[in-house]
Structure formats: C-alpha cells, structure tokens
Amino acid sequence: MRSSIVPIHRDRRPIRLARVLFAVCAIGFFAGVAPRSAVAQSLERFPDASRLVSIGGAITEIVYALGEEDRLIARDTTSTYPEAAGALPDVGYMRALSPEGVLSVGPSAVLAAEGSGPPATMSVLEKATVPLILVPEGYDREAILRKIRITGAALGVAAKAEKLAGKVDADLQAAEDAAKAMSGGKRVLFILSMQGGRILAAGSGTAADGVVRMAGGTNAMSAFPGYRQVSEEAVMMAQPDVILMMERGGGTGIAEDELFAHPAIAGTPAGTPAGKSRTLLRMDGAYLLGFGPRTASAVRDLSAMLAETKTATD
C-alpha cells in the first residue's frame, strides 16, 4: 500500500515510466519537446534500484545517509559529499546532462533532483527503458523531509527513511529555534556573482533565501523572486548588514577589496551597513544551499556567524 503522503507540485500528473528503447537519434527528435512531468507525486518504488545513478547533491547525500550507497554506480558533478561519492563515475553537471552520459553506465534506475536538465535530455531519459524519478525541490524543513521520504520509498527502504526523517526533523527544529534567538534578524544580501560589476542577487523562493530565513536572518532582496541582476540603487535601498557568498576555490571568487569597492556596497555615505563594516561571510555552496541531511548544521553555522558579525551601527 502506498503512503498517503503526496508531495505538492504544480503539475499533479503521476510519474510516467515510459518504456521506449533509447537511441542517439532520439535526441534530435525530442530536442524541441518539453519533458513530461516525472516529479514524484506519491511514494513510488523502483522495480530495480540495484544500479542507481543519483543526480543532485542532496539526493546523493540522502542515499548515503540511508546507508544505501552500495547501490550507486554514478553521480553528477554537484554530488561532492560525502568524500566517497567522488570516487564514483561523474555523468555531468545536473543542469547540463546528456542522455548518453547518464545511460552509458548502464543504470537500472535514475533518481534526480527536480530542475535537472536540460529539458531535452530529461525528455529523452523519461522515454528510455530505465525508470526515472524526479524528487521535488524546496527550501524549507518540509522540503528536506519530503526528499528523504521519496528517496527512501524509491529505494524500497521506507522504514529507514522515516527514521532518518525523524532525526533530521528534530535536528532542524532545534537549529531553527536556536537561530531565532541568536542572529538578531540581520539583513543579508546573498550575491551569487558579480561579473562586470553587475550584482546577481538572491530573491525570494531561492535556496539562499530559505537558508537565511532558517538561520534567523532576513533576506535583504526578498521583494523579487529568484536570482536577478540588481541595480546599485536597489542594493543601497536594501541596506544589508551582511554580504553572504559561496566559498569558491582556485581563486575564482570575488576578492574582498573588489567587493567593497563596488559603488553600491562601499562604505561611503551612500553605501550600505555591510560596506561600512566590511562584513562578508563565505560558506561552501553545497553545504549552505544543498537542503539535505546537513542543513541543520549549515543553519547553526550561518546563525553563529551572523550573531558574531558587527554592523555599522553596533
């Protein structure tokens, strides 16, 4: 009997596990066709999950947290945790997959995070002989628990998933409760990139917005949805206390001096509190924005960092 828990998604059609032989020529045929919905609308189970490809860092983390990593034969580029996952074959970046890359490892099942793509690839994979389940994305506690339950059901280990979900739920609740008392509601500007001096910031409905709120902060750019390039005026009007960015290795990140020299942020009379106090926080992107089993720890770390920062008015 299937569980009555039904993940919410705008497309309520059930998973379609169409069985059509894959051929390279199908790529061109389906290139202009939007993929059918394969987002899990009930707790589906793979007929055979012995050779699993996981796509999405949080999905891979959950498979390991469930103790089912022996099923994994490949993962995507974003699946960097735990370290052991790095030894698995890499089928490509989750938003730039090719059908050949995914199917070349001979999977019996593909478990992917919603948003994997491009659409043409997902359309071909949905029509391949290998069952595919897409796990709904989301940026709050319930979304994480939903991912765990759907992944567990797909692998036939629902009881283990429920136990893990209970543990993660309690951990997240404790982390959020503590965060509310610590971080003081500081206004946080999450900058994804700053190419050519143009700031790409996180608005509402993003992973950055979700984790900032869970950590007791306020997203300074919550007035718009998604990620958007913002004007200097918008940044100055937002008056962030803190700038938050992903930690990037190899020297590819924005240098602190470059960031605080930006006219919208600089500690000039027309700048921002974050610019005046030169308050910049960096965290590993997969850890901060993954919304998987480690999110409670990420919330605690971010909350503690926010609590320790001094604003221009302190």
Side-chain angles (χ1 to χ4, degrees):
M1 179 182 296
R2 290 182 180 171
S3 169
S4 60
I5 298 174
V6 180
I8 298 174
H9 187 261
R10 62 180 178 274
D11 184 354
R12 299 178 181 275
R13 291 173 294 175
I15 286 179
R16 300 182 183 181
L17 299 178
R19 296 185 173 273
V20 180
L21 289 176
F22 169 77
V24 174
C25 62
I27 300 174
F29 179 80
F30 294 116
V33 181
R36 298 173 302 165
S37 173
V39 178
Q41 297 303 303
S42 58
L43 299 186
E44 303 285 347
R45 179 174 179 173
F46 286 123
D48 177 9
S50 61
R51 292 181 57 79
L52 179 69
V53 172
S54 63
I55 299 171
I59 305 305
T60 302
E61 287 188 32
I62 291 169
V63 173
Y64 274 89
L66 289 170
E68 297 297 320
E69 63 271 19
D70 288 348
R71 302 170 182 265
L72 289 169
I73 59 167
R75 46 87 192 182
D76 78 306
T77 302
T78 71
S79 297
T80 59
Y81 184 88
E83 186 177 350
L88 294 167
D90 185 346
V91 298
Y93 176 54
M94 66 175 291
R95 303 192 194 283
L97 299 168
S98 71
E100 304 99 321
V102 175
L103 297 177
S104 67
V105 295
S108 64
V110 178
L111 189 63
E114 181 185 12
S116 300
T121 291
M122 303 313 292
S123 181
V124 173
L125 290 176
E126 288 179 38
K127 296 169 176 65
T129 58
V130 180
L132 165 70
I133 291 178
L134 293 183
V135 182
E137 192 52 272
Y139 308 119
D140 57 20
R141 179 155 41 109
E142 287 305 316
I144 296 170
L145 304 181
R146 184 169 62 228
K147 291 178 189 178
I148 292 171
R149 290 182 173 116
I150 290 175
T151 300
L155 302 183
V157 291
K160 290 172 69 173
E162 199 58 42
K163 183 177 180 180
L164 176 62
K167 178 181 177 182
V168 170
D169 188 20
D171 201 18
L172 284 166
Q173 183 67 66
E176 290 185 73
D177 289 346
K180 291 176 183 177
M182 285 180 60
S183 55
K186 289 188 174 77
R187 295 178 62 77
V188 180
L189 170 62
F190 180 88
I191 298 179
L192 184 63
S193 68
M194 201 175 76
Q195 295 183 345
R198 303 187 68 182
I199 294 174
L200 183 62
S204 61
T206 61
D209 176 76
V211 76
V212 165
R213 287 187 288 103
M214 291 174 76
T218 299
N219 181 4
M221 288 292 178
S222 60
F224 62 84
Y227 290 92
R228 183 180 299 179
Q229 285 186 331
V230 293
S231 66
E232 293 180 12
E233 293 78 8
V235 174
M236 287 186 284
M237 288 179 62
Q239 290 290 287
D241 299 306
V242 177
I243 307 296
L244 177 62
M245 301 184 70
M246 291 188 293
E247 185 68 60
R248 299 180 188 273
T252 60
I254 301 169
E256 185 172 334
D257 287 343
E258 178 187 358
L259 175 70
F260 289 117
H262 193 286
I265 299 171
T268 63
T272 64
K276 293 180 174 68
S277 61
R278 293 179 68 88
T279 304
L280 170 64
L281 304 180
R282 297 184 193 264
M283 291 181 68
D284 175 77
Y287 178 55
L288 178 67
L289 307 178
F291 280 81
R294 294 186 294 162
T295 295
S297 294
V299 166
R300 288 191 182 92
D301 288 348
L302 178 57
S303 177
M305 292 166 73
L306 290 174
E308 291 171 2
T309 59
K310 298 294 184 181
T311 67
T313 58
D314 287 342

